[in-house]
Each structure stands twice: as C-alpha cells, then as structure tokens.
Amino acid sequence: MLATIPFRSTQVNATTGQLRANGYVAAGTTPYSVSVDPSGKFVYVANYGSNNVSAYTINATTGTLTSVGAAVAAGTNPVFVTVDPSGRFVYVTNSDSDDISAYTINASTGALTSIGAAVAAGGDNPKSVAIDPSGKFAYVTNNGSGSVSAYTINASTGALTLVGTAVAGDQPYSVSIDPTGKFAYVANNVTSNVSAYSINASTGALTPIGAAVAVGTNPMSVSVDPSGKFAYVANNTSNNVSVYSIDATTGALTSAGTVRARSGSAAIAMARGATPVVFKPKFAYVANHNSNNVSVYTIDASSGALTAGTAVAAGTGPASVTVDPSGKFAYTANYNSANVSVYTIDASTGALTAGMAVAAGAGPVSVTVDPSGKFAYVANFYSNNVSVYTIDASTGALTAGTAVAAGAAVAAGTTPYSVTTTGMIQ
C-alpha cells in the first residue's frame, strides 16, 4: 500500500483574512498541487508520488475536508490539477508520461470519473494547465520542449482535442488566461521572460503577440488580475514581482515596475477586489552625515513628491540607511561612532522610533538586510571587514552572535564600501 501524506485545510476569517488551521487529512504520496471547484464544495489534489488524484468535500461552515473515497488513477507523476469554470470537469498534467488526464465531477458527491484514456501532450514534460473563462479551451505548458499547447474542450464530455502548439521560451512553467479569454501569457523559467499570445475565439489556437517580454530572473508564475488590466509575474531567483499593464486591444504587455518580494518567490494569486493590486510607496528616509540624523518623508503616491516629517537622531556621521523587506524596521550605518542605529517604523506615519544601537567595525559605511529579513550586514571601511547580525522579527533589534553564523565580523578586502545580498530557494 502506498504511504499517505497529511494535507492541511485552513479556515479564513472573513473580516481580518487571518488563517486558522482546521487539521490534516490524508492525501496520496507527495501531493503537488491543489484546486477548488468554482462552487467551493470540492477540493482536488494531484499526488506526484502515487500517480493519482484525491478528492474531498468541503464543510461549508468549518472548511474541513472529508475524503470522497479512494483516489483515482492519473498518469505518471501528476503535477498540476485544475477545475473548469463550469465545475464539471477536472484536468491533470502528468509530467513524466507526457499526457493530460481528464475527469467528470459528480455534482452531488464530488467524485471523479475518468473521461477515458489520457490525451497526449503537445510536448515534453507538461507542467501546468489553464482553462479559458468560457470553458471552451485548455492550455498546457510543455516544460521540456519549450512550447504551449492549445486544446478544445468537448462541452458535453469534457474530452480534449489538440488544436496546435505554439513556441514559448525555455522551460515554460505556468500559463494564465485573461478574464476576457482573448489573451494567454506564459512564464518562461530559464529565458526569464513572458510569452504573450492572442487566442482565436473560434478555434482556441494561439498566435504570438510580438517578442517575449523580459521579467525578473527565473519566473515561476504569471497571473492576470480579475479586471484584466494587469499581469503579475513571480520571479523565483530575483525575489521580486514584475508588474505589467495589458493593452486591452492587442494584449501586449508594458512594464509598470517591479515590487520586491521575499526569497524564492514561486507563485502569485490574485484576490477578486474592486481594484487591481498596485504598489504604492509611502515613506522615504535620508541619512544626513553632517547633521547626525535621519530625515523622514511621506511620499505622494501620484506625483512622488516628498513631504518632510520629523527627523530623528542617529549616531555620529550616518553614512547610509536601509529599510527591511517588511517595511517595519530601519537601520543606519554610523561612520564616525562605529555603530548601527536601529529604528521601528510607524506604519501610519512613517515616523522612526530609536531602539538600541549596536557596535560595528571601524568606519561603517553601508548596511543591508537580506531578502528574508533575518540578517543584517555592515561594511566597515577602516577595519576591512563585514559585521553580521541576526534580526529580531518582533522588535528589529540586532544581535551579534558567533563568527561565520552571525555576529563576529568576517574579513573583506581593503576599505570595503558597500554590501549587498542575494537569495536562493532551498
């Protein structure tokens, strides 16, 4: 018998959005992805290791899951499961058997019944599948062959018929369809770009919209907001989210900037709000070397204009200032007093409240926080080394620990001037 792995359900507070664990239910071996049907009654999980799909009913009050019964067979190493917009069919990409399994959903129980033999993918190593809003077409990224395949969906049976395959970038990972069903977007992991396509309303065939658009490094996921005006790309290695506006007529993407994210950004989901998610800068800080303080400003989100608040004292000769990724803490490297000032940031006003400064090396000139927000590093100009600190997630306080791990400075070259960090997914 194949071993089972616990699969956790979570309840969402309708007012605050907070999550509360509802416990675990058994899934197959190595569950890889999960999808909820449009009615919110059923959940489906693709089990990579046991080559099957688990089905559950959702308790409408508590959100807890109850198994529908024995998992249904899929192909070899299923990785992605999705439900069509009508809630009648389920589709699963099988990465190692290079095919797509299709199932009908029992409207009463949520149980799955195979539509028939799996349909061959249009390329190698199918990774993700997306259904257009009308439920007429399905699109699959072929990670191994650098392409995206289009299929028509039989409205009665749910069966897939291959329409054709369009060229994508190297190792396409995910595909998203805009709410109008006119455009498709594919995140290409190795070439670090997004391919855009127009969708033939009659056949579902894809036509490339110009050259692929550059994004961050190693994009894993692309999503279109519910209004259809913007596309967002989660970049796994550059640890950020690329934002694009969508031309409503042509589907072409135009860069609207980049938002910093945590280390190893892999997926992005869009909430169905009234307006699209837009990054709005709120506060700016300036280290003033000769006046030994930090200027505080609010930022006008429309014009970018700065309005000065109350400056706060720093150490002697502050040479640089940085803010941690959460926006909760700020740090200055004080060149003359050889220490680092620590501040908490008021989320409403941007005002800084000083905490306990910590010693650094001689002549600290640059301070940076790693993308996870766990560690801070300071380049010491005169002592030719880098100070390393751990950050208290609650207070922002810095702690110098043992050498190498965190704390005692590590040697650098002569007169190091700046320091930066990078991240990788583990």
Side-chain angles (χ1 to χ4, degrees), residues 287-340:
N288 303 304
H289 184 78
N290 291 335
S291 52
N292 302 325
N293 60 9
V294 178
S295 297
V296 178
Y297 303 90
T298 56
I299 302 173
D300 185 292
S302 299
S303 67
L306 301 179
T307 300
T310 303
V312 63
T316 308
S320 68
V321 59
T322 192
V323 175
D324 85 306
S326 72
K328 293 164 57 178
F329 311 118
Y331 303 94
T332 62
N334 302 308
Y335 183 81
N336 293 333
S337 54
N339 60 5
V340 179

mmCIF file of all heavy atoms in Angstrom, residues 287-340:
data_model
loop_
_atom_site.group_PDB
_atom_site.id
_atom_site.type_symbol
_atom_site.label_atom_id
_atom_site.label_comp_id
_atom_site.label_asym_id
_atom_site.label_seq_id
_atom_site.Cartn_x
_atom_site.Cartn_y
_atom_site.Cartn_z
ATOM 1 N N ALA A 287 19.850 59.522 5.248
ATOM 2 C CA ALA A 287 20.881 59.621 6.283
ATOM 3 C C ALA A 287 21.698 60.893 6.050
ATOM 4 O O ALA A 287 22.279 61.078 4.975
ATOM 5 C CB ALA A 287 21.788 58.393 6.232
ATOM 6 N N ASN A 288 21.731 61.782 7.043
ATOM 7 C CA ASN A 288 22.438 63.061 6.929
ATOM 8 C C ASN A 288 23.760 62.986 7.694
ATOM 9 O O ASN A 288 23.780 63.033 8.930
ATOM 10 C CB ASN A 288 21.557 64.185 7.486
ATOM 11 C CG ASN A 288 20.213 64.247 6.775
ATOM 12 O OD1 ASN A 288 20.149 64.364 5.559
ATOM 13 N ND2 ASN A 288 19.120 64.144 7.538
ATOM 14 N N HIS A 289 24.847 62.880 6.938
ATOM 15 C CA HIS A 289 26.162 62.608 7.516
ATOM 16 C C HIS A 289 26.630 63.684 8.483
ATOM 17 O O HIS A 289 27.173 63.387 9.560
ATOM 18 C CB HIS A 289 27.177 62.440 6.393
ATOM 19 C CG HIS A 289 28.543 62.056 6.854
ATOM 20 N ND1 HIS A 289 28.890 60.774 7.221
ATOM 21 C CD2 HIS A 289 29.688 62.793 7.011
ATOM 22 C CE1 HIS A 289 30.153 60.719 7.581
ATOM 23 N NE2 HIS A 289 30.667 61.941 7.472
ATOM 24 N N ASN A 290 26.448 64.949 8.127
ATOM 25 C CA ASN A 290 26.986 66.035 8.953
ATOM 26 C C ASN A 290 26.060 66.471 10.077
ATOM 27 O O ASN A 290 26.524 66.992 11.106
ATOM 28 C CB ASN A 290 27.338 67.241 8.081
ATOM 29 C CG ASN A 290 28.526 66.962 7.177
ATOM 30 O OD1 ASN A 290 29.359 66.103 7.495
ATOM 31 N ND2 ASN A 290 28.615 67.663 6.048
ATOM 32 N N SER A 291 24.728 66.285 9.919
ATOM 33 C CA SER A 291 23.820 66.707 10.988
ATOM 34 C C SER A 291 23.445 65.555 11.915
ATOM 35 O O SER A 291 22.649 65.730 12.842
ATOM 36 C CB SER A 291 22.552 67.350 10.401
ATOM 37 O OG SER A 291 21.951 66.505 9.432
ATOM 38 N N ASN A 292 24.018 64.382 11.655
ATOM 39 C CA ASN A 292 23.871 63.224 12.553
ATOM 40 C C ASN A 292 22.411 62.847 12.821
ATOM 41 O O ASN A 292 22.021 62.590 13.963
ATOM 42 C CB ASN A 292 24.584 63.487 13.884
ATOM 43 C CG ASN A 292 26.054 63.778 13.694
ATOM 44 O OD1 ASN A 292 26.691 63.215 12.800
ATOM 45 N ND2 ASN A 292 26.587 64.671 14.514
ATOM 46 N N ASN A 293 21.621 62.842 11.752
ATOM 47 C CA ASN A 293 20.235 62.435 11.917
ATOM 48 C C ASN A 293 19.687 61.815 10.626
ATOM 49 O O ASN A 293 20.386 61.747 9.604
ATOM 50 C CB ASN A 293 19.363 63.620 12.375
ATOM 51 C CG ASN A 293 19.372 64.771 11.395
ATOM 52 O OD1 ASN A 293 19.889 64.663 10.287
ATOM 53 N ND2 ASN A 293 18.808 65.902 11.808
ATOM 54 N N VAL A 294 18.445 61.384 10.708
ATOM 55 C CA VAL A 294 17.776 60.780 9.556
ATOM 56 C C VAL A 294 16.519 61.580 9.258
ATOM 57 O O VAL A 294 15.661 61.774 10.145
ATOM 58 C CB VAL A 294 17.391 59.309 9.840
ATOM 59 C CG1 VAL A 294 16.650 58.708 8.639
ATOM 60 C CG2 VAL A 294 18.621 58.481 10.158
ATOM 61 N N SER A 295 16.394 62.078 8.037
ATOM 62 C CA SER A 295 15.192 62.795 7.623
ATOM 63 C C SER A 295 14.099 61.788 7.253
ATOM 64 O O SER A 295 14.372 60.729 6.674
ATOM 65 C CB SER A 295 15.487 63.690 6.418
ATOM 66 O OG SER A 295 16.430 64.693 6.746
ATOM 67 N N VAL A 296 12.876 62.147 7.608
ATOM 68 C CA VAL A 296 11.721 61.284 7.359
ATOM 69 C C VAL A 296 10.757 62.009 6.423
ATOM 70 O O VAL A 296 10.444 63.189 6.627
ATOM 71 C CB VAL A 296 11.000 60.945 8.681
ATOM 72 C CG1 VAL A 296 9.767 60.090 8.426
ATOM 73 C CG2 VAL A 296 11.960 60.261 9.646
ATOM 74 N N TYR A 297 10.280 61.309 5.381
ATOM 75 C CA TYR A 297 9.358 61.910 4.427
ATOM 76 C C TYR A 297 8.203 60.957 4.132
ATOM 77 O O TYR A 297 8.367 59.732 4.139
ATOM 78 C CB TYR A 297 10.059 62.191 3.093
ATOM 79 C CG TYR A 297 11.268 63.071 3.194
ATOM 80 C CD1 TYR A 297 12.535 62.508 3.396
ATOM 81 C CD2 TYR A 297 11.174 64.453 3.074
ATOM 82 C CE1 TYR A 297 13.665 63.306 3.478
ATOM 83 C CE2 TYR A 297 12.298 65.265 3.159
ATOM 84 C CZ TYR A 297 13.544 64.684 3.359
ATOM 85 O OH TYR A 297 14.658 65.467 3.436
ATOM 86 N N THR A 298 7.031 61.532 3.852
ATOM 87 C CA THR A 298 5.951 60.758 3.251
ATOM 88 C C THR A 298 6.009 60.998 1.749
ATOM 89 O O THR A 298 6.441 62.069 1.292
ATOM 90 C CB THR A 298 4.574 61.181 3.793
ATOM 91 O OG1 THR A 298 4.390 62.581 3.588
ATOM 92 C CG2 THR A 298 4.450 60.851 5.264
ATOM 93 N N ILE A 299 5.593 59.996 0.979
ATOM 94 C CA ILE A 299 5.668 60.066 -0.477
ATOM 95 C C ILE A 299 4.271 60.208 -1.058
ATOM 96 O O ILE A 299 3.363 59.439 -0.721
ATOM 97 C CB ILE A 299 6.331 58.801 -1.053
ATOM 98 C CG1 ILE A 299 7.738 58.614 -0.474
ATOM 99 C CG2 ILE A 299 6.394 58.862 -2.572
ATOM 100 C CD1 ILE A 299 8.389 57.299 -0.872
ATOM 101 N N ASP A 300 4.072 61.198 -1.927
ATOM 102 C CA ASP A 300 2.811 61.323 -2.645
ATOM 103 C C ASP A 300 2.749 60.208 -3.681
ATOM 104 O O ASP A 300 3.589 60.134 -4.586
ATOM 105 C CB ASP A 300 2.720 62.694 -3.328
ATOM 106 C CG ASP A 300 1.373 62.918 -3.985
ATOM 107 O OD1 ASP A 300 1.086 62.224 -4.982
ATOM 108 O OD2 ASP A 300 0.609 63.781 -3.516
ATOM 109 N N ALA A 301 1.758 59.313 -3.550
ATOM 110 C CA ALA A 301 1.692 58.126 -4.407
ATOM 111 C C ALA A 301 1.483 58.467 -5.876
ATOM 112 O O ALA A 301 1.828 57.677 -6.759
ATOM 113 C CB ALA A 301 0.577 57.198 -3.928
ATOM 114 N N SER A 302 0.922 59.649 -6.159
ATOM 115 C CA SER A 302 0.668 60.034 -7.555
ATOM 116 C C SER A 302 1.854 60.737 -8.194
ATOM 117 O O SER A 302 2.253 60.420 -9.319
ATOM 118 C CB SER A 302 -0.564 60.948 -7.621
ATOM 119 O OG SER A 302 -1.715 60.287 -7.147
ATOM 120 N N SER A 303 2.422 61.695 -7.463
ATOM 121 C CA SER A 303 3.491 62.506 -8.054
ATOM 122 C C SER A 303 4.885 62.100 -7.620
ATOM 123 O O SER A 303 5.872 62.459 -8.262
ATOM 124 C CB SER A 303 3.273 63.974 -7.686
ATOM 125 O OG SER A 303 3.444 64.163 -6.289
ATOM 126 N N GLY A 304 4.972 61.366 -6.499
ATOM 127 C CA GLY A 304 6.288 61.020 -5.958
ATOM 128 C C GLY A 304 6.888 62.108 -5.104
ATOM 129 O O GLY A 304 7.992 61.955 -4.568
ATOM 130 N N ALA A 305 6.178 63.223 -4.932
ATOM 131 C CA ALA A 305 6.686 64.349 -4.133
ATOM 132 C C ALA A 305 6.843 63.932 -2.673
ATOM 133 O O ALA A 305 6.085 63.117 -2.152
ATOM 134 C CB ALA A 305 5.739 65.533 -4.240
ATOM 135 N N LEU A 306 7.854 64.504 -2.017
ATOM 136 C CA LEU A 306 8.155 64.208 -0.627
ATOM 137 C C LEU A 306 7.669 65.317 0.295
ATOM 138 O O LEU A 306 7.827 66.504 -0.005
ATOM 139 C CB LEU A 306 9.667 64.031 -0.442
ATOM 140 C CG LEU A 306 10.353 62.935 -1.267
ATOM 141 C CD1 LEU A 306 11.846 62.918 -0.971
ATOM 142 C CD2 LEU A 306 9.737 61.584 -0.971
ATOM 143 N N THR A 307 7.080 64.909 1.429
ATOM 144 C CA THR A 307 6.703 65.868 2.470
ATOM 145 C C THR A 307 7.463 65.518 3.741
ATOM 146 O O THR A 307 7.370 64.382 4.239
ATOM 147 C CB THR A 307 5.189 65.807 2.755
ATOM 148 O OG1 THR A 307 4.483 66.125 1.551
ATOM 149 C CG2 THR A 307 4.804 66.800 3.841
ATOM 150 N N ALA A 308 8.216 66.477 4.258
ATOM 151 C CA ALA A 308 9.101 66.213 5.386
ATOM 152 C C ALA A 308 8.328 66.003 6.679
ATOM 153 O O ALA A 308 7.355 66.708 6.971
ATOM 154 C CB ALA A 308 10.095 67.352 5.558
ATOM 155 N N GLY A 309 8.780 65.028 7.450
ATOM 156 C CA GLY A 309 8.270 64.808 8.795
ATOM 157 C C GLY A 309 9.335 65.224 9.786
ATOM 158 O O GLY A 309 10.173 66.087 9.489
ATOM 159 N N THR A 310 9.343 64.636 10.954
ATOM 160 C CA THR A 310 10.316 64.990 11.983
ATOM 161 C C THR A 310 11.545 64.100 11.889
ATOM 162 O O THR A 310 11.442 62.867 11.949
ATOM 163 C CB THR A 310 9.690 64.837 13.385
ATOM 164 O OG1 THR A 310 8.521 65.644 13.479
ATOM 165 C CG2 THR A 310 10.676 65.242 14.463
ATOM 166 N N ALA A 311 12.715 64.747 11.718
ATOM 167 C CA ALA A 311 13.963 63.992 11.654
ATOM 168 C C ALA A 311 14.246 63.356 13.009
ATOM 169 O O ALA A 311 13.811 63.847 14.055
ATOM 170 C CB ALA A 311 15.114 64.905 11.249
ATOM 171 N N VAL A 312 14.988 62.255 12.986
ATOM 172 C CA VAL A 312 15.316 61.549 14.218
ATOM 173 C C VAL A 312 16.832 61.419 14.331
ATOM 174 O O VAL A 312 17.526 61.271 13.324
ATOM 175 C CB VAL A 312 14.637 60.155 14.238
ATOM 176 C CG1 VAL A 312 15.154 59.280 13.115
ATOM 177 C CG2 VAL A 312 14.805 59.461 15.575
ATOM 178 N N ALA A 313 17.341 61.496 15.562
ATOM 179 C CA ALA A 313 18.781 61.432 15.780
ATOM 180 C C ALA A 313 19.341 60.063 15.404
ATOM 181 O O ALA A 313 18.693 59.030 15.597
ATOM 182 C CB ALA A 313 19.097 61.724 17.240
ATOM 183 N N ALA A 314 20.558 60.080 14.862
ATOM 184 C CA ALA A 314 21.287 58.845 14.552
ATOM 185 C C ALA A 314 22.581 58.870 15.349
ATOM 186 O O ALA A 314 22.747 59.669 16.269
ATOM 187 C CB ALA A 314 21.557 58.758 13.053
ATOM 188 N N GLY A 315 23.526 58.006 14.978
ATOM 189 C CA GLY A 315 24.849 58.080 15.581
ATOM 190 C C GLY A 315 25.624 59.208 14.944
ATOM 191 O O GLY A 315 25.054 60.083 14.282
ATOM 192 N N THR A 316 26.939 59.194 15.109
ATOM 193 C CA THR A 316 27.775 60.252 14.539
ATOM 194 C C THR A 316 28.179 59.880 13.118
ATOM 195 O O THR A 316 28.705 58.800 12.872
ATOM 196 C CB THR A 316 29.036 60.457 15.387
ATOM 197 O OG1 THR A 316 28.660 60.643 16.757
ATOM 198 C CG2 THR A 316 29.824 61.660 14.899
ATOM 199 N N GLY A 317 27.870 60.792 12.180
ATOM 200 C CA GLY A 317 28.251 60.583 10.789
ATOM 201 C C GLY A 317 27.515 59.449 10.101
ATOM 202 O O GLY A 317 28.176 58.595 9.478
ATOM 203 N N PRO A 318 26.179 59.391 10.157
ATOM 204 C CA PRO A 318 25.470 58.322 9.445
ATOM 205 C C PRO A 318 25.775 58.376 7.953
ATOM 206 O O PRO A 318 25.652 59.429 7.325
ATOM 207 C CB PRO A 318 23.998 58.614 9.749
ATOM 208 C CG PRO A 318 23.953 60.078 10.088
ATOM 209 C CD PRO A 318 25.241 60.342 10.788
ATOM 210 N N ALA A 319 26.202 57.238 7.413
ATOM 211 C CA ALA A 319 26.626 57.198 6.009
ATOM 212 C C ALA A 319 25.590 56.572 5.099
ATOM 213 O O ALA A 319 25.589 56.818 3.887
ATOM 214 C CB ALA A 319 27.945 56.425 5.889
ATOM 215 N N SER A 320 24.702 55.737 5.645
ATOM 216 C CA SER A 320 23.678 55.108 4.823
ATOM 217 C C SER A 320 22.517 54.668 5.690
ATOM 218 O O SER A 320 22.644 54.539 6.910
ATOM 219 C CB SER A 320 24.257 53.898 4.066
ATOM 220 O OG SER A 320 24.591 52.856 4.957
ATOM 221 N N VAL A 321 21.374 54.449 5.034
ATOM 222 C CA VAL A 321 20.168 53.990 5.717
ATOM 223 C C VAL A 321 19.496 52.938 4.842
ATOM 224 O O VAL A 321 19.520 53.029 3.615
ATOM 225 C CB VAL A 321 19.208 55.165 6.019
ATOM 226 C CG1 VAL A 321 18.776 55.880 4.747
ATOM 227 C CG2 VAL A 321 17.985 54.686 6.803
ATOM 228 N N THR A 322 18.921 51.926 5.479
ATOM 229 C CA THR A 322 18.181 50.911 4.729
ATOM 230 C C THR A 322 16.950 50.503 5.523
ATOM 231 O O THR A 322 16.900 50.652 6.746
ATOM 232 C CB THR A 322 19.061 49.677 4.429
ATOM 233 O OG1 THR A 322 18.401 48.853 3.466
ATOM 234 C CG2 THR A 322 19.313 48.839 5.679
ATOM 235 N N VAL A 323 15.939 49.990 4.808
ATOM 236 C CA VAL A 323 14.699 49.506 5.421
ATOM 237 C C VAL A 323 14.588 48.013 5.151
ATOM 238 O O VAL A 323 14.916 47.546 4.056
ATOM 239 C CB VAL A 323 13.476 50.248 4.837
ATOM 240 C CG1 VAL A 323 12.164 49.669 5.373
ATOM 241 C CG2 VAL A 323 13.569 51.747 5.142
ATOM 242 N N ASP A 324 14.115 47.259 6.144
ATOM 243 C CA ASP A 324 13.993 45.815 5.956
ATOM 244 C C ASP A 324 12.834 45.515 4.999
ATOM 245 O O ASP A 324 11.974 46.376 4.762
ATOM 246 C CB ASP A 324 13.795 45.111 7.302
ATOM 247 C CG ASP A 324 12.350 45.075 7.737
ATOM 248 O OD1 ASP A 324 11.711 46.155 7.793
ATOM 249 O OD2 ASP A 324 11.842 43.981 8.027
ATOM 250 N N PRO A 325 12.773 44.292 4.397
ATOM 251 C CA PRO A 325 11.750 43.976 3.390
ATOM 252 C C PRO A 325 10.314 44.126 3.885
ATOM 253 O O PRO A 325 9.421 44.395 3.087
ATOM 254 C CB PRO A 325 12.049 42.518 3.029
ATOM 255 C CG PRO A 325 13.498 42.347 3.323
ATOM 256 C CD PRO A 325 13.750 43.200 4.527
ATOM 257 N N SER A 326 10.076 43.965 5.187
ATOM 258 C CA SER A 326 8.710 44.078 5.703
ATOM 259 C C SER A 326 8.266 45.528 5.852
ATOM 260 O O SER A 326 7.075 45.808 6.030
ATOM 261 C CB SER A 326 8.608 43.383 7.073
ATOM 262 O OG SER A 326 9.276 44.152 8.076
ATOM 263 N N GLY A 327 9.220 46.466 5.793
ATOM 264 C CA GLY A 327 8.896 47.875 5.985
ATOM 265 C C GLY A 327 8.662 48.251 7.432
ATOM 266 O O GLY A 327 8.161 49.338 7.731
ATOM 267 N N LYS A 328 9.071 47.372 8.367
ATOM 268 C CA LYS A 328 8.837 47.608 9.791
ATOM 269 C C LYS A 328 10.032 48.246 10.501
ATOM 270 O O LYS A 328 9.864 48.898 11.533
ATOM 271 C CB LYS A 328 8.492 46.294 10.487
ATOM 272 C CG LYS A 328 7.169 45.695 10.058
ATOM 273 C CD LYS A 328 7.040 44.242 10.467
ATOM 274 C CE LYS A 328 7.197 44.011 11.942
ATOM 275 N NZ LYS A 328 7.016 42.572 12.297
ATOM 276 N N PHE A 329 11.244 48.057 9.941
ATOM 277 C CA PHE A 329 12.449 48.499 10.644
ATOM 278 C C PHE A 329 13.393 49.249 9.692
ATOM 279 O O PHE A 329 13.419 48.982 8.483
ATOM 280 C CB PHE A 329 13.193 47.304 11.241
ATOM 281 C CG PHE A 329 12.310 46.377 12.020
ATOM 282 C CD1 PHE A 329 12.141 45.058 11.631
ATOM 283 C CD2 PHE A 329 11.633 46.828 13.148
ATOM 284 C CE1 PHE A 329 11.322 44.197 12.332
ATOM 285 C CE2 PHE A 329 10.806 45.980 13.865
ATOM 286 C CZ PHE A 329 10.644 44.657 13.460
ATOM 287 N N ALA A 330 14.169 50.182 10.262
ATOM 288 C CA ALA A 330 15.185 50.902 9.501
ATOM 289 C C ALA A 330 16.504 50.860 10.266
ATOM 290 O O ALA A 330 16.516 50.780 11.505
ATOM 291 C CB ALA A 330 14.753 52.351 9.271
ATOM 292 N N TYR A 331 17.615 50.938 9.518
ATOM 293 C CA TYR A 331 18.947 50.849 10.124
ATOM 294 C C TYR A 331 19.871 51.868 9.452
ATOM 295 O O TYR A 331 19.820 52.056 8.220
ATOM 296 C CB TYR A 331 19.532 49.442 9.940
ATOM 297 C CG TYR A 331 18.645 48.363 10.504
ATOM 298 C CD1 TYR A 331 17.724 47.700 9.697
ATOM 299 C CD2 TYR A 331 18.711 48.007 11.851
ATOM 300 C CE1 TYR A 331 16.889 46.722 10.214
ATOM 301 C CE2 TYR A 331 17.880 47.036 12.382
ATOM 302 C CZ TYR A 331 16.975 46.387 11.561
ATOM 303 O OH TYR A 331 16.142 45.426 12.074
ATOM 304 N N THR A 332 20.718 52.532 10.254
ATOM 305 C CA THR A 332 21.739 53.425 9.701
ATOM 306 C C THR A 332 23.128 52.948 10.114
ATOM 307 O O THR A 332 23.330 52.509 11.250
ATOM 308 C CB THR A 332 21.562 54.877 10.188
ATOM 309 O OG1 THR A 332 21.699 54.932 11.601
ATOM 310 C CG2 THR A 332 20.211 55.433 9.771
ATOM 311 N N ALA A 333 24.069 53.050 9.179
ATOM 312 C CA ALA A 333 25.474 52.766 9.479
ATOM 313 C C ALA A 333 26.133 54.093 9.835
ATOM 314 O O ALA A 333 26.199 55.004 9.003
ATOM 315 C CB ALA A 333 26.157 52.132 8.272
ATOM 316 N N ASN A 334 26.587 54.213 11.083
ATOM 317 C CA ASN A 334 27.145 55.473 11.571
ATOM 318 C C ASN A 334 28.675 55.429 11.487
ATOM 319 O O ASN A 334 29.347 54.788 12.304
ATOM 320 C CB ASN A 334 26.684 55.718 13.004
ATOM 321 C CG ASN A 334 25.170 55.755 13.106
ATOM 322 O OD1 ASN A 334 24.511 56.486 12.372
ATOM 323 N ND2 ASN A 334 24.602 54.964 14.017
ATOM 324 N N TYR A 335 29.199 56.143 10.503
ATOM 325 C CA TYR A 335 30.615 56.083 10.137
ATOM 326 C C TYR A 335 31.548 56.491 11.271
ATOM 327 O O TYR A 335 32.549 55.835 11.549
ATOM 328 C CB TYR A 335 30.821 56.997 8.929
ATOM 329 C CG TYR A 335 32.208 57.027 8.356
ATOM 330 C CD1 TYR A 335 32.659 56.033 7.494
ATOM 331 C CD2 TYR A 335 33.070 58.092 8.637
ATOM 332 C CE1 TYR A 335 33.930 56.084 6.939
ATOM 333 C CE2 TYR A 335 34.340 58.158 8.090
ATOM 334 C CZ TYR A 335 34.766 57.149 7.241
ATOM 335 O OH TYR A 335 36.021 57.205 6.699
ATOM 336 N N ASN A 336 31.254 57.580 11.961
ATOM 337 C CA ASN A 336 32.176 58.103 12.973
ATOM 338 C C ASN A 336 32.006 57.445 14.339
ATOM 339 O O ASN A 336 32.983 57.312 15.095
ATOM 340 C CB ASN A 336 32.011 59.622 13.109
ATOM 341 C CG ASN A 336 32.459 60.352 11.856
ATOM 342 O OD1 ASN A 336 33.307 59.866 11.120
ATOM 343 N ND2 ASN A 336 31.872 61.519 11.594
ATOM 344 N N SER A 337 30.781 57.056 14.702
ATOM 345 C CA SER A 337 30.575 56.434 16.013
ATOM 346 C C SER A 337 30.689 54.909 15.959
ATOM 347 O O SER A 337 30.514 54.235 16.974
ATOM 348 C CB SER A 337 29.218 56.844 16.594
ATOM 349 O OG SER A 337 28.167 56.565 15.689
ATOM 350 N N ALA A 338 30.988 54.369 14.788
ATOM 351 C CA ALA A 338 31.260 52.934 14.622
ATOM 352 C C ALA A 338 30.143 52.062 15.194
ATOM 353 O O ALA A 338 30.397 51.105 15.917
ATOM 354 C CB ALA A 338 32.608 52.573 15.255
ATOM 355 N N ASN A 339 28.917 52.411 14.852
ATOM 356 C CA ASN A 339 27.803 51.587 15.302
ATOM 357 C C ASN A 339 26.639 51.645 14.300
ATOM 358 O O ASN A 339 26.710 52.360 13.291
ATOM 359 C CB ASN A 339 27.347 51.993 16.711
ATOM 360 C CG ASN A 339 26.874 53.433 16.805
ATOM 361 O OD1 ASN A 339 26.785 54.129 15.794
ATOM 362 N ND2 ASN A 339 26.592 53.887 18.008
ATOM 363 N N VAL A 340 25.584 50.907 14.606
ATOM 364 C CA VAL A 340 24.395 50.866 13.751
ATOM 365 C C VAL A 340 23.193 51.276 14.587
ATOM 366 O O VAL A 340 22.923 50.699 15.638
ATOM 367 C CB VAL A 340 24.165 49.451 13.177
ATOM 368 C CG1 VAL A 340 22.903 49.422 12.310
ATOM 369 C CG2 VAL A 340 25.369 48.984 12.380
#
